[in-house]
Amino acid sequence: MDKKDLSDNILPLTATLEAAMRQLDKGIGGVILCVDLTGKMQGMLTDGDIRRALLKDASLNDAVQDAMNRSFVSGNASATRAEHISQLGSNIRQLPILDAEDRPVDMVSWAEIWRMPVTEPSLGGNEMKYVVDCIDSVWVSSQGGYIDKFQQAFVSFLGGGDALCTSSGTTALHLALIALGIGPGDEVIVPDITFGASANVVIHAGATPVFVDIDSVTWTIDPEKIEAAVTPKTKAIMPVHLYGHPCDMDAVMAIAEKYQLKVIEDCAESLGAEYKGDKAGLVGDVGCFSFFANKVITTGEGGMVVSKNAALIERMAILRDHGMSKQRRYWHLEAGYNYRMTNMQAALGVAQMERISDFLCRREKVVELYNRRLGKIKGIGLPPAAKWAKNIHWLYSITVDKEQLGIDRDRLASRLMEEGIETRPVFPPLHLQPAYGSGRLGRFMVAEQLADRGLCLPTSNGISLDDVDRVCVTIEKIVVDERALQQHRDTQGMKTG
Ligand SMILES: Cc1ncc(COP(=O)(O)O)c(C=O)c1O
């Protein structure tokens, strides 16, 4: 492991608390290492130490030596990494490493050895057994019994339609666009906030994505703004059920009907979500799912197209298999693709579908606990929840109001990371990104505001309620620290102002 650069963490004993607060933002690990004139470490200072000092009437002009913690734990530069790690624990999150003269030369952090991922797959059911079965049977490519089983399990979970496995969520979307005849010269309406694949596939089909702002309640495409984006070239709308919350599909379908547009539901993040009691995916012409490892179920990589239109499924099946005729071997009806899923991936999918109800049930408990705890914190906005929607919370996502919370989204994320808790910012708006115009397409205010404030918290299928509790406690602690500091800054400002 390379040594860390501690230059932004080290301050002399006489530096002020105000200087320490500024350094805390720049340095690593949320700690200041206080050194004497010879560079010898004499104490350690955290946000919490500053807050406690200020509560005891210290001033921001006081020296760090008055507030620092003198009885800190440190590691010896001559010890091994394993020995350093063994010194970390629930009370020791950052271990400064000192040389023979007690000068800080490195730091080992709790976050390096313990990490709560924002999401990770749960593969402890029949996943291994079914994959081994594929290998034993030598059906490892895209033929074999698990493909049909996975598709059938999917259809029965959705409660209708037909399903076809694909190699990814992206290829599912591309296949849908091509099968619906969308190509050069056409426009497809896409929400401004989604993962880039939703727009990329439109471009790869030769068409143009036209972005529409999102709705502040559902975070999904704002139906009231769709009509203004319709032109004679518009061929389809791609509603994206973002982070597990369905779009207002009645409104989307009404516009589609009025202008004779196709509707491709991007359900990559919404397996199990419901719109007015119907599962997302079967409301539009075609629904496209992703089984990337961070999704509600995973097949490693993989995807699925679903539709109630059997002819469309048939056409997608041909396009997916090189455009070959089902009747005549090696006879290409059109230039198709190889977008097939392997039997081994489908085996994972079958095992995952056996557990989907458990996954969704657990998510409900996780969401209930997050909502109960975080709902009490002024400045944290809870995830979207329209009355007609079942949000499956692919990623439990909050908004951070800096004015009310006393800390902005990015700082909250980095402070959580220091504690080993991973988060993700909400997707940046597409219209601002180099691939799609770098901001030349105008302003999308709701999307821009959400992108500045939205934060996704850990939401794995296997996350325990204790882990959720830990995330909430950590947020509460960070907020208390930051608010106390902010309050103190304000009163100091009033005194001097
Ligand atoms: C909204 C959305 N659309 C499309 C995709 C693409 O899916 P995949 O990664 O399986 O290609 C993803 C996920 O990665 C996604 O989140």
Side-chain angles (χ1 to χ4, degrees):
M1 288 269 314
D2 288 342
K3 281 199 177 144
K4 299 191 184 68
D5 177 6
L6 298 180
S7 48
D8 283 329
N9 288 79
I10 296 175
L11 276 182
L13 296 173
T14 49
T16 62
L17 290 179
E18 185 162 7
M21 277 166 60
R22 268 198 303 274
Q23 281 311 95
L24 276 171
D25 287 344
K26 290 196 227 144
I28 52 174
V31 291
I32 295 294
L33 313 179
C34 310
V35 298
D36 64 18
L37 288 175
T38 64
K40 212 175 194 181
M41 184 164 162
Q42 300 288 356
M44 195 153 145
L45 192 74
T46 63
D47 273 359
D49 295 324
I50 300 179
R51 174 173 58 86
R52 280 185 287 279
L54 294 178
L55 287 174
K56 284 190 198 148
D57 243 17
S59 137
L60 284 177
N61 293 324
D62 288 355
V64 290
Q65 60 187 340
D66 300 330
M68 71 188 187
N69 192 345
R70 289 172 189 272
S71 56
F72 60 90
V73 176
S74 63
N76 192 322
S78 60
T80 63
R81 183 169 160 77
E83 283 165 335
H84 292 153
I85 286 172
S86 70
Q87 288 182 264
L88 293 166
S90 57
N91 290 324
I92 301 165
R93 296 294 206 219
Q94 308 293 342
L95 185 76
I97 309 300
L98 308 184
D99 67 10
E101 275 78 46
D102 284 345
R103 288 177 306 220
V105 288
D106 198 4
M107 193 143 68
V108 177
S109 308
W110 174 253
E112 289 169 40
I113 57 162
W114 184 85
R115 190 179 61 97
M116 188 190 297
V118 79
T119 168
E120 69 180 350
S122 165
L123 302 170
N126 282 322
E127 285 80 358
M128 178 78 93
K129 183 173 157 205
Y130 295 164
V131 171
V132 169
D133 184 38
C134 289
I135 294 170
D136 283 345
S137 69
V138 304
W139 287 101
V140 292
S141 202
S142 55
Q143 287 171 355
Y146 286 105
I147 300 277
D148 264 356
K149 278 191 198 152
F150 185 29
Q151 290 171 174
Q152 277 162 20
F154 214 76
V155 165
S156 71
F157 175 73
L158 292 186
D162 279 317
L164 200 67
C165 313
T166 59
S167 51
S168 71
T170 306
T171 54
L173 286 166
H174 190 233
L175 200 57
L177 288 167
I178 303 296
L180 288 168
I182 290 154
D186 296 337
E187 290 177 355
V188 177
I189 291 174
V190 176
D192 191 39
I193 290 217
T194 174
F195 180 62
S198 317
N200 290 346
V201 289
V202 175
I203 295 167
H204 295 318
T208 305
V210 173
F211 302 126
V212 163
D213 206 350
I214 55 161
D215 168 61
S216 59
V217 175
T218 65
W219 299 7
T220 64
I221 196 161
D222 184 346
E224 288 188 9
K225 293 181 185 149
I226 294 178
E227 241 176 312
V230 174
T231 74
K233 293 179 179 172
T234 311
K235 288 286 165 1
I237 309 173
M238 187 188 289
V240 179
H241 307 303
L242 197 78
Y243 295 120
H245 191 292
C247 305
D248 181 356
M249 289 305 290
D250 279 352
V252 170
M253 296 309 287
I255 298 165
E257 202 171 316
K258 182 168 168 190
Y259 294 96
Q260 299 287 293
L261 307 176
K262 301 293 183 192
V263 175
I264 299 139
E265 290 179 71
D266 183 338
C267 307
E269 304 173 1
S270 60
L271 178 58
E274 289 175 20
Y275 175 72
K276 296 188 176 169
D278 287 330
K279 293 257 172 23
L282 288 174
V283 185
D285 292 278
V286 50
C288 303
F289 293 81
S290 163
F291 310 126
F292 183 67
N294 65 7
K295 296 300 187 297
V296 177
I297 66 159
T298 188
T299 58
E301 296 279 356
M304 187 82 82
V305 285
V306 300
S307 180
K308 286 182 176 162
N309 179 340
L312 185 63
I313 288 280
E314 181 65 16
R315 176 150 163 67
M316 288 192 286
I318 290 171
L319 279 168
R320 185 194 63 171
D321 297 344
H322 300 285
M324 281 189 292
S325 161
K326 296 270 174 216
Q327 282 76 39
R328 187 171 171 191
R329 200 173 275 271
Y330 308 133
W331 194 252
H332 297 265
L333 300 172
E334 53 191 317
Y337 309 87
N338 178 355
Y339 282 172
R340 296 179 301 234
M341 175 182 274
T342 68
N343 198 37
M344 288 194 294
Q345 290 170 301
L348 277 179
V350 171
Q352 292 269 286
M353 286 308 284
E354 289 172 354
R355 305 168 66 207
I356 179 89
S357 305
D358 289 347
F359 291 162
L360 294 176
C361 243
R362 182 184 291 240
R363 264 164 205 271
E364 280 179 16
K365 294 196 179 100
V366 163
V367 169
E368 196 270 324
L369 181 54
Y370 267 138
N371 279 349
R372 187 152 42 81
R373 295 287 294 274
L374 300 181
K376 292 184 189 145
I377 305 178
K378 208 168 153 216
I380 289 190
L382 298 183
K387 280 197 295 290
W388 39 259
K390 179 178 174 193
N391 182 354
I392 51 96
H393 299 270
W394 166 55
L395 292 180
Y396 181 88
S397 312
I398 57 169
T399 52
V400 173
D401 179 335
K402 184 187 170 200
E403 302 313 316
Q404 291 190 1
L405 202 64
I407 178 169
D408 69 19
R409 188 271 312 270
D410 292 341
R411 180 149 168 79
L412 178 61
S414 68
R415 295 236 18 216
L416 284 166
M417 197 60 235
E418 283 161 11
E419 298 290 332
I421 298 171
E422 238 190 23
T423 59
R424 289 279 183 280
V426 157
F427 299 121
L430 295 183
H431 77 278
L432 295 176
Q433 303 186 32
Y436 321 107
S438 295
R440 289 192 301 277
L441 304 169
R443 302 298 299 271
F444 296 77
M445 297 314 289
V446 185
E448 288 176 31
Q449 199 178 51
L450 177 65
D452 282 345
R453 298 171 165 207
L455 186 68
C456 307
L457 301 180
T459 329
S460 298
N461 280 329
I463 192 172
S464 69
L465 293 182
D466 281 348
D467 283 343
V468 175
D469 190 63
R470 186 196 286 244
V471 177
C472 296
V473 168
T474 310
I475 292 177
E476 284 157 5
K477 185 177 143 297
I478 293 170
V479 168
V480 167
D481 279 355
E482 295 281 333
R483 275 189 185 154
L485 291 175
Q486 187 56 43
Q487 214 171 5
H488 197 272
R489 273 193 205 112
D490 293 348
T491 47
Q492 288 291 107
M494 274 164 58
K495 275 185 204 159
T496 53

